[in-house]
mmCIF file of all heavy atoms in Angstrom:
data_model
loop_
_atom_site.group_PDB
_atom_site.id
_atom_site.type_symbol
_atom_site.label_atom_id
_atom_site.label_comp_id
_atom_site.label_asym_id
_atom_site.label_seq_id
_atom_site.Cartn_x
_atom_site.Cartn_y
_atom_site.Cartn_z
ATOM 1 N N ARG A 1397 6.367 27.050 11.661
ATOM 2 C CA ARG A 1397 7.045 26.054 12.492
ATOM 3 C C ARG A 1397 8.160 25.343 11.724
ATOM 4 O O ARG A 1397 8.155 24.123 11.595
ATOM 5 C CB ARG A 1397 6.042 25.004 12.986
ATOM 6 C CG ARG A 1397 5.174 25.450 14.133
ATOM 7 C CD ARG A 1397 4.208 24.347 14.491
ATOM 8 N NE ARG A 1397 3.474 24.633 15.724
ATOM 9 C CZ ARG A 1397 2.468 23.902 16.176
ATOM 10 N NH1 ARG A 1397 2.075 22.832 15.500
ATOM 11 N NH2 ARG A 1397 1.849 24.211 17.295
ATOM 12 N N PRO A 1398 9.130 26.053 11.202
ATOM 13 C CA PRO A 1398 10.166 25.367 10.418
ATOM 14 C C PRO A 1398 10.987 24.369 11.226
ATOM 15 O O PRO A 1398 11.322 23.292 10.721
ATOM 16 C CB PRO A 1398 11.040 26.527 9.902
ATOM 17 C CG PRO A 1398 10.753 27.673 10.806
ATOM 18 C CD PRO A 1398 9.327 27.511 11.221
ATOM 19 N N GLU A 1399 11.315 24.691 12.474
ATOM 20 C CA GLU A 1399 12.134 23.766 13.267
ATOM 21 C C GLU A 1399 11.335 22.528 13.674
ATOM 22 O O GLU A 1399 11.876 21.422 13.716
ATOM 23 C CB GLU A 1399 12.701 24.481 14.490
ATOM 24 C CG GLU A 1399 13.738 25.530 14.139
ATOM 25 C CD GLU A 1399 14.810 24.997 13.186
ATOM 26 O OE1 GLU A 1399 15.383 23.918 13.469
ATOM 27 O OE2 GLU A 1399 15.067 25.633 12.150
ATOM 28 N N ASP A 1400 10.052 22.719 13.995
ATOM 29 C CA ASP A 1400 9.207 21.561 14.273
ATOM 30 C C ASP A 1400 9.072 20.696 13.023
ATOM 31 O O ASP A 1400 9.097 19.461 13.098
ATOM 32 C CB ASP A 1400 7.817 22.006 14.735
ATOM 33 C CG ASP A 1400 7.816 22.512 16.163
ATOM 34 O OD1 ASP A 1400 8.764 22.194 16.905
ATOM 35 O OD2 ASP A 1400 6.874 23.224 16.553
ATOM 36 N N MET A 1401 8.929 21.345 11.864
ATOM 37 C CA MET A 1401 8.824 20.588 10.616
ATOM 38 C C MET A 1401 10.103 19.800 10.346
ATOM 39 O O MET A 1401 10.057 18.663 9.867
ATOM 40 C CB MET A 1401 8.530 21.545 9.458
ATOM 41 C CG MET A 1401 8.428 20.872 8.098
ATOM 42 S SD MET A 1401 7.226 19.514 8.048
ATOM 43 C CE MET A 1401 5.712 20.404 8.431
ATOM 44 N N ARG A 1402 11.245 20.366 10.684
ATOM 45 C CA ARG A 1402 12.502 19.645 10.516
ATOM 46 C C ARG A 1402 12.492 18.351 11.338
ATOM 47 O O ARG A 1402 12.953 17.290 10.870
ATOM 48 C CB ARG A 1402 13.684 20.527 10.928
ATOM 49 C CG ARG A 1402 15.051 19.854 10.729
ATOM 50 C CD ARG A 1402 16.189 20.788 11.115
ATOM 51 N NE ARG A 1402 16.206 21.988 10.287
ATOM 52 C CZ ARG A 1402 16.732 22.046 9.076
ATOM 53 N NH1 ARG A 1402 17.301 20.958 8.558
ATOM 54 N NH2 ARG A 1402 16.726 23.162 8.382
ATOM 55 N N GLU A 1403 11.967 18.425 12.555
ATOM 56 C CA GLU A 1403 11.931 17.245 13.411
ATOM 57 C C GLU A 1403 10.976 16.192 12.854
ATOM 58 O O GLU A 1403 11.249 14.994 12.913
ATOM 59 C CB GLU A 1403 11.522 17.655 14.829
ATOM 60 C CG GLU A 1403 11.926 16.669 15.891
ATOM 61 C CD GLU A 1403 11.928 17.265 17.277
ATOM 62 O OE1 GLU A 1403 11.270 18.305 17.492
ATOM 63 O OE2 GLU A 1403 12.599 16.700 18.148
ATOM 64 N N VAL A 1404 9.846 16.647 12.298
ATOM 65 C CA VAL A 1404 8.902 15.713 11.675
ATOM 66 C C VAL A 1404 9.554 15.007 10.498
ATOM 67 O O VAL A 1404 9.494 13.772 10.365
ATOM 68 C CB VAL A 1404 7.632 16.454 11.209
ATOM 69 C CG1 VAL A 1404 6.735 15.509 10.410
ATOM 70 C CG2 VAL A 1404 6.856 17.006 12.393
ATOM 71 N N LEU A 1405 10.176 15.778 9.628
ATOM 72 C CA LEU A 1405 10.784 15.201 8.429
ATOM 73 C C LEU A 1405 11.980 14.314 8.768
ATOM 74 O O LEU A 1405 12.241 13.323 8.077
ATOM 75 C CB LEU A 1405 11.201 16.313 7.468
ATOM 76 C CG LEU A 1405 10.048 17.170 6.914
ATOM 77 C CD1 LEU A 1405 10.586 18.217 5.951
ATOM 78 C CD2 LEU A 1405 8.989 16.307 6.246
ATOM 79 N N GLN A 1406 12.690 14.658 9.829
ATOM 80 C CA GLN A 1406 13.797 13.809 10.263
ATOM 81 C C GLN A 1406 13.284 12.423 10.642
ATOM 82 O O GLN A 1406 13.869 11.401 10.270
ATOM 83 C CB GLN A 1406 14.511 14.450 11.458
ATOM 84 C CG GLN A 1406 15.691 13.652 12.001
ATOM 85 C CD GLN A 1406 16.824 13.514 10.999
ATOM 86 O OE1 GLN A 1406 17.000 14.366 10.125
ATOM 87 N NE2 GLN A 1406 17.598 12.447 11.120
ATOM 88 N N GLY A 1407 12.161 12.386 11.376
ATOM 89 C CA GLY A 1407 11.565 11.109 11.749
ATOM 90 C C GLY A 1407 11.079 10.328 10.545
ATOM 91 O O GLY A 1407 11.213 9.094 10.483
ATOM 92 N N LEU A 1408 10.532 11.028 9.563
ATOM 93 C CA LEU A 1408 10.042 10.347 8.361
ATOM 94 C C LEU A 1408 11.194 9.823 7.508
ATOM 95 O O LEU A 1408 11.071 8.776 6.858
ATOM 96 C CB LEU A 1408 9.172 11.306 7.546
ATOM 97 C CG LEU A 1408 7.830 11.681 8.180
ATOM 98 C CD1 LEU A 1408 7.094 12.701 7.326
ATOM 99 C CD2 LEU A 1408 6.960 10.441 8.390
ATOM 100 N N SER A 1409 12.307 10.536 7.489
ATOM 101 C CA SER A 1409 13.445 10.095 6.679
ATOM 102 C C SER A 1409 14.067 8.820 7.221
ATOM 103 O O SER A 1409 14.782 8.118 6.489
ATOM 104 C CB SER A 1409 14.503 11.199 6.622
ATOM 105 O OG SER A 1409 15.123 11.385 7.884
ATOM 106 N N SER A 1429 8.815 27.107 5.834
ATOM 107 C CA SER A 1429 9.535 25.838 5.987
ATOM 108 C C SER A 1429 10.088 25.330 4.666
ATOM 109 O O SER A 1429 10.521 24.178 4.575
ATOM 110 C CB SER A 1429 8.595 24.777 6.583
ATOM 111 O OG SER A 1429 8.117 25.155 7.848
ATOM 112 N N LYS A 1431 12.840 25.941 2.979
ATOM 113 C CA LYS A 1431 14.249 25.543 3.009
ATOM 114 C C LYS A 1431 14.438 24.227 3.768
ATOM 115 O O LYS A 1431 15.281 23.406 3.400
ATOM 116 C CB LYS A 1431 15.077 26.638 3.665
ATOM 117 C CG LYS A 1431 15.033 27.984 2.943
ATOM 118 C CD LYS A 1431 15.576 27.869 1.525
ATOM 119 C CE LYS A 1431 15.583 29.238 0.846
ATOM 120 N NZ LYS A 1431 16.038 29.139 -0.572
ATOM 121 N N VAL A 1432 13.647 24.053 4.817
ATOM 122 C CA VAL A 1432 13.708 22.803 5.574
ATOM 123 C C VAL A 1432 13.286 21.638 4.693
ATOM 124 O O VAL A 1432 13.939 20.585 4.662
ATOM 125 C CB VAL A 1432 12.809 22.875 6.825
ATOM 126 C CG1 VAL A 1432 12.750 21.518 7.522
ATOM 127 C CG2 VAL A 1432 13.310 23.946 7.783
ATOM 128 N N VAL A 1433 12.194 21.812 3.956
ATOM 129 C CA VAL A 1433 11.724 20.763 3.051
ATOM 130 C C VAL A 1433 12.790 20.453 2.007
ATOM 131 O O VAL A 1433 13.050 19.285 1.682
ATOM 132 C CB VAL A 1433 10.403 21.190 2.376
ATOM 133 C CG1 VAL A 1433 10.018 20.197 1.279
ATOM 134 C CG2 VAL A 1433 9.290 21.307 3.408
ATOM 135 N N ASP A 1435 15.929 20.610 2.298
ATOM 136 C CA ASP A 1435 17.018 19.843 2.905
ATOM 137 C C ASP A 1435 16.751 18.339 2.895
ATOM 138 O O ASP A 1435 17.682 17.539 3.009
ATOM 139 C CB ASP A 1435 17.251 20.300 4.351
ATOM 140 C CG ASP A 1435 17.860 21.682 4.434
ATOM 141 O OD1 ASP A 1435 18.400 22.166 3.425
ATOM 142 O OD2 ASP A 1435 17.773 22.307 5.516
ATOM 143 N N PHE A 1436 15.479 17.966 2.786
ATOM 144 C CA PHE A 1436 15.119 16.541 2.819
ATOM 145 C C PHE A 1436 14.701 16.022 1.432
ATOM 146 O O PHE A 1436 14.213 14.894 1.322
ATOM 147 C CB PHE A 1436 13.980 16.309 3.814
ATOM 148 C CG PHE A 1436 14.407 16.411 5.249
ATOM 149 C CD1 PHE A 1436 14.414 17.631 5.897
ATOM 150 C CD2 PHE A 1436 14.831 15.290 5.951
ATOM 151 C CE1 PHE A 1436 14.813 17.741 7.232
ATOM 152 C CE2 PHE A 1436 15.239 15.379 7.272
ATOM 153 C CZ PHE A 1436 15.234 16.615 7.914
ATOM 154 N N LYS A 1439 16.171 12.749 0.557
ATOM 155 C CA LYS A 1439 15.924 11.655 1.495
ATOM 156 C C LYS A 1439 14.475 11.171 1.482
ATOM 157 O O LYS A 1439 14.184 10.067 1.937
ATOM 158 C CB LYS A 1439 16.275 12.109 2.924
ATOM 159 C CG LYS A 1439 17.709 12.575 3.091
ATOM 160 C CD LYS A 1439 17.935 13.147 4.485
ATOM 161 C CE LYS A 1439 19.347 13.703 4.625
ATOM 162 N NZ LYS A 1439 19.553 14.342 5.949
ATOM 163 N N SER A 1473 2.193 19.188 12.562
ATOM 164 C CA SER A 1473 3.599 19.557 12.407
ATOM 165 C C SER A 1473 4.342 19.654 13.736
ATOM 166 O O SER A 1473 5.543 19.948 13.748
ATOM 167 C CB SER A 1473 3.710 20.899 11.671
ATOM 168 O OG SER A 1473 3.034 21.923 12.398
ATOM 169 N N ILE A 1475 4.849 17.152 16.042
ATOM 170 C CA ILE A 1475 4.978 15.790 16.558
ATOM 171 C C ILE A 1475 6.382 15.249 16.287
ATOM 172 O O ILE A 1475 7.109 15.758 15.434
ATOM 173 C CB ILE A 1475 3.941 14.827 15.937
ATOM 174 C CG1 ILE A 1475 4.125 14.750 14.421
ATOM 175 C CG2 ILE A 1475 2.528 15.256 16.287
ATOM 176 C CD1 ILE A 1475 3.275 13.695 13.758
ATOM 177 N N LYS A 1590 3.888 17.231 20.868
ATOM 178 C CA LYS A 1590 4.483 18.272 21.709
ATOM 179 C C LYS A 1590 3.452 19.125 22.439
ATOM 180 O O LYS A 1590 3.701 19.622 23.527
ATOM 181 C CB LYS A 1590 5.372 19.181 20.848
ATOM 182 C CG LYS A 1590 6.580 18.484 20.275
ATOM 183 C CD LYS A 1590 7.386 19.453 19.427
ATOM 184 C CE LYS A 1590 8.549 18.762 18.768
ATOM 185 N NZ LYS A 1590 9.306 19.665 17.875
#
Side-chain angles (χ1 to χ4, degrees):
R1397 282 178 171 172
E1399 291 311 310
D1400 285 341
M1401 179 54 62
R1402 182 178 298 279
E1403 201 161 20
V1404 173
L1405 297 181
Q1406 180 64 27
L1408 291 176
S1409 69
S1429 299
K1431 299 299 183 183
V1432 173
V1433 172
D1435 290 343
F1436 287 87
K1439 302 174 184 176
S1473 59
I1475 61 172
K1590 294 179 184 177

